[in-house]
């Protein structure tokens, strides 16, 4: 750690007009974004309630009709005249910092906005069948009263099933169940030619089943998914444990919190996450499901963290650094969405006084602002400012390299707090876009099994300390160095984030073999743009789309010949 304490030589950064626009952006957020957000959330809630009142038979009938509309729309496309296919969703609606600029180019839109219903919750098969625009808040509201839940419930309410399957989804239970896509039982997909298929891991479309995750919707349109359910209890018994030391010691303490060195499965918690507050201070949290009877026993503390006036969760957890280890019981659904109200800790930047007790009591019920509205009201200059002076990235790294990753982030970005969340990366029958290190099972490292390697998400979300100190910081170069570190360490960058990767390095990070096989086999080439091009940073013109399309089509047709 000695080298981490040496100050880096950085020049002073001059403030420009956009600095002041960002500094006082809270005015727009309070008087425009928050009120409109609350109306949108209320309208969505009413829609969810209306959907829940319908019978399963009626919801399924509407689903089948909507699928046929998608099929009909795809068949209207003229490949010679129309652009590549994409959804009709507005670019700013997506949750994430990546600019969805490919939609500014010529394209053929297909409307999927009707696919937002829970179709079935089968507690016998322990499977939930849902449409792709169902979000985490909607499904936890439906399942938790039944004492069942998705095996992986991503923390933010707004995250949708489709985004989590086609992209990336994780939660504190992922050390047991893997990423969100690993909990999928079946996928219903509309292919480029209008065929509707159901893909499972062992039917004739098993290649699609393994090809869709991380593909960003570039193989076909996901119109429903069947997802694994697990039994749960009413409360989460959460233990907060402070850890102090250097970053390598913090990384080891984090691994020990959920992956016991003796391999005793009884010591593995149901949930785990870590928050690193400084280069020497962190808090590890481990949770175990608990019944209502246990939670309400005399002497136990119940903390309903979901109430609008409660302290923001990351600040509440930080108290362990002063008071030492403590235990409390949190209602399970409130625990699932503990980071929603303050958007992890991004809320502090959006509303600098949003964590104050007076604001929480008076206006906390308006939180959080809708991410899509924040993006829609930020403008080009502010968007570019965030790309250059802010970091929203996730590093998916092997567990044994967490200490190295923490030191890298400290040296290059100096962003705190950091979020730690483990996940299994399974050894699958085919080599998908993300895969474990070759031969990992031979090393018997902490947390690994014969069938899965333990990885960790190091979440880097905040403004670097260099910016707060008025020093120069080149966000583009910092992200490029981060991406190269990930490639060199068999690690991954989720595609929701702003990426600086060129095409060669993109396919050094991810494996293209199975993905491209699926695209060619199911007619996606020439219909949907490639995942690299869709994830690529920057504005896309019609000419770029045509050139990219031609570059994809040429090798595909050469293979067929």
């Amino acid at each position: 750690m000695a080298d981490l304490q040496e100050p880096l030589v950085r020049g002073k950064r001059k403030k420009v007009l956009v600095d002041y626009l960002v500094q006082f952006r809270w005015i727009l957020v309070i008087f425009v974004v928050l009120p409109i957000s609350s109306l949108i959330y209320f309208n969505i809630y009413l829609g969810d309630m209306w959907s829940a009142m319908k019978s399963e038979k009626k919801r399924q009938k509407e689903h089948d009709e909507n699928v046929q509309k998608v099929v009909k729309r795809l068949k209207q496309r003229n490949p010679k005249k129309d652009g590549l296919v994409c959804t009709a969703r507005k670019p700013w609606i997506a949750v994430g910092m990546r600019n969805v600029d490919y939609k500014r180019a010529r394209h053929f839109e297909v409307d999927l906005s009707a696919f937002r219903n829970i179709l079935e919750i089968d507690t016998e098969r322990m499977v939930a069948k849902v449409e792709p625009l169902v979000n985490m808040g909607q499904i936890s509201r439906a399942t938790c009263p039944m004492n069942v839940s998705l095996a992986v419930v991503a923390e933010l309410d707004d995250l949708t099933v489709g985004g989590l399957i086609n992209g990336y989804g994780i939660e504190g239970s992922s050390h047991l169940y893997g990423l969100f896509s690993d909990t999928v039982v079946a996928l219903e997909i509309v292919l480029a030619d209008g065929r509707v298929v159901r893909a499972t891991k062992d039917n004739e479309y098993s290649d699609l089943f393994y090809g869709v995750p991380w593909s960003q919707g570039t193989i076909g349109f996901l119109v429903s998914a069947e997802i694994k359910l697990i039994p749960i209890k009413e409360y989460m018994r959460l233990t907060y444990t402070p850890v102090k030391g250097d970053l390598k010691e913090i990384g080891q303490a984090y691994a020990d919190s959920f992956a016991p060195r003796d391999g005793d499965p009884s010591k593995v918690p149901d949930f785990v996450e870590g928050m690193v507050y400084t280069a020497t201070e962190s808090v590890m949290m481990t949770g175990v499901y608990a019944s209502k009877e246990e939670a309400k026993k005399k002497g136990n503390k119940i903390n309903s963290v979901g109430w609008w006036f409660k302290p923001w969760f990351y600040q509440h957890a930080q108290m362990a650094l002063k008071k030492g280890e403590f235990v409390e019981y949190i209602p399970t659904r409130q625990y699932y969405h503990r980071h929603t109200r303050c958007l992890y800790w991004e809320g502090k930047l959006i509303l600098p006084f949003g964590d104050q007790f007076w604001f929480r009591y008076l206006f906390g019920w308006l939180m959080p602002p809708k991410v899509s509205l924040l993006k829609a009201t930020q403008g080009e200059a502010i968007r570019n400012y965030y790309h250059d002076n802010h970091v929203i990235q996730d590093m998916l790294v092997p567990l044994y390299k967490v200490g190295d990753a923490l030191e890298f982030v400290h040296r290059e970005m100096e962003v705190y707090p950091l979020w730690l969340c483990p996940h299994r990366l399974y050894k699958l029958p085919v080599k998908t876009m993300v895969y474990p290190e070759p031969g990992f099972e031979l090393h018997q490292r902490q947390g690994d099994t014969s069938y899965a390697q333990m990885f960790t998400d190091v979440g880097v979300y905040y403004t670097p300390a260099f910016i707060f100190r008025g020093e120069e910081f080149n966000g583009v170069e910092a992200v490029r160095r981060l991406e190269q570190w990930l490639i060199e360490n068999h690690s991954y960058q989720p595609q929701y984030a702003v990426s600086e990767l060129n095409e060669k390095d993109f396919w050094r990070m991810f494996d293209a073999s199975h993905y491209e096989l699926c695209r060619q086999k199911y007619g996606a080439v020439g219909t949907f743009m490639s995942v690299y091009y869709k994830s690529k940073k920057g504005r896309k013109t019609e000419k770029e789309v045509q050139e990219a399309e031609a570059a994809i089509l040429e090798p595909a047709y050469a293979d067929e010949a």
Side-chain angles (χ1 to χ4, degrees), residues 42 62 127 138 150 169 199 324 337 437:
F42 183 64
E62 290 178 355
V127 167
Q138 179 183 356
L150 298 184
H337 303 295
E437 291 179 299

Side-chain angles (χ1 to χ4, degrees), residues 175 424-427 440-442 444-454:
H175 64 299
R424 278 179 168 162
L425 195 56
Y426 290 98
K427 185 178 180 180
F440 75 91
E441 65 274 20
L442 303 177
Q444 297 183 336
R445 295 188 181 99
Q446 188 174 4
D448 292 354
T449 64
S450 60
Y451 54 87
Q453 184 177 13
M454 192 64 74

Side-chain angles (χ1 to χ4, degrees), residues 172-186:
S173 59
S174 289
H175 64 299
L176 298 175
Y177 302 105
L179 297 176
F180 189 88
S181 55
D182 294 314
T183 67
V184 171
V185 175

Side-chain angles (χ1 to χ4, degrees), residues 385-404:
Y385 175 92
Y386 281 128
H387 289 174
D388 294 336
N389 301 288
H390 190 76
V391 181
I392 295 188
Q393 297 282 341
D394 285 271
M395 305 169 65
L396 308 187
V397 303
L399 177 60
Y400 71 95
K401 293 186 177 181
V402 167
D404 295 335

Side-chain angles (χ1 to χ4, degrees), residues 80 142 190 215 220 251 320 322 332 349 380 420 457 501 514:
K80 294 181 179 179
V190 180
S215 70
K322 292 183 178 179
T332 297
L349 292 175
E380 190 79 17
L420 301 179
D457 182 334
L501 290 168
H514 185 73

